[in-house]
Amino acid sequence: MNKIFLILLTAITLLACDSKKTSIAGTVVNAVTGEPLPNVLISYVQCKENGDDCTEVIIGQMYTLQDGTFKIDQKRANKSKTRWITVHKATKKIGQVDNVGLTDKSITIAVTP
């Protein structure tokens, strides 16, 4: 019984180690003019499981501020999963940045609205 408890406790601890608080920030700009884009939807996304079949899980979302900036903070993400940012204006996807780290703070996303 003690061995089963120890194995279960070890498994839970290992799974918990893969999760970490994340804090990313950046700016969305118009690729042509360089002007900041306010009020576009930023989604910070990761795969539920690594592999060919990616079920997307949203870590956090927000609309850019008037100066085009965004910050997604205090959410939990898996360290070992693939993460990216998508940018939507209304219902149209206008940009994506792949391989975003858990603490990237100076992300610039140039899009064509």
Side-chain angles (χ1 to χ4, degrees):
M1 186 68 156
N2 285 339
K3 284 185 179 183
I4 293 172
F5 178 73
L6 183 59
I7 291 171
L8 183 60
L9 184 61
T10 302
I12 291 171
T13 302
L14 289 175
L15 289 174
C17 290
D18 191 41
S19 181
K20 183 177 178 184
K21 283 189 178 179
T22 182
S23 179
I24 64 167
T27 307
V28 179
V29 297
N30 183 311
V32 177
T33 66
E35 294 293 317
L37 283 179
N39 302 318
V40 293
L41 180 63
I42 301 296
S43 299
Y44 188 32
V45 184
Q46 73 181 15
C47 287
K48 184 175 182 178
E49 297 177 2
N50 285 332
D52 292 336
D53 295 328
C54 177
T55 302
E56 295 182 4
V57 175
I58 296 173
I59 300 167
Q61 287 183 313
M62 74 166 290
Y63 285 91
T64 56
L65 302 176
Q66 288 302 101
D67 62 356
T69 61
F70 64 91
K71 182 176 182 181
I72 298 175
D73 202 13
Q74 302 299 322
K75 303 291 182 180
R76 298 204 63 85
N78 289 48
K79 294 185 285 188
S80 63
K81 306 291 189 226
T82 302
R83 291 170 305 281
W84 63 94
I85 295 173
T86 58
V87 182
H88 287 84
K89 185 171 186 178
T91 58
K92 181 182 175 189
K93 180 178 172 182
I94 58 173
Q96 180 170 322
V97 175
D98 295 325
N99 301 317
V100 177
L102 291 169
T103 58
D104 290 350
K105 299 283 193 212
S106 57
I107 303 165
T108 300
I109 306 170
V111 299
T112 305

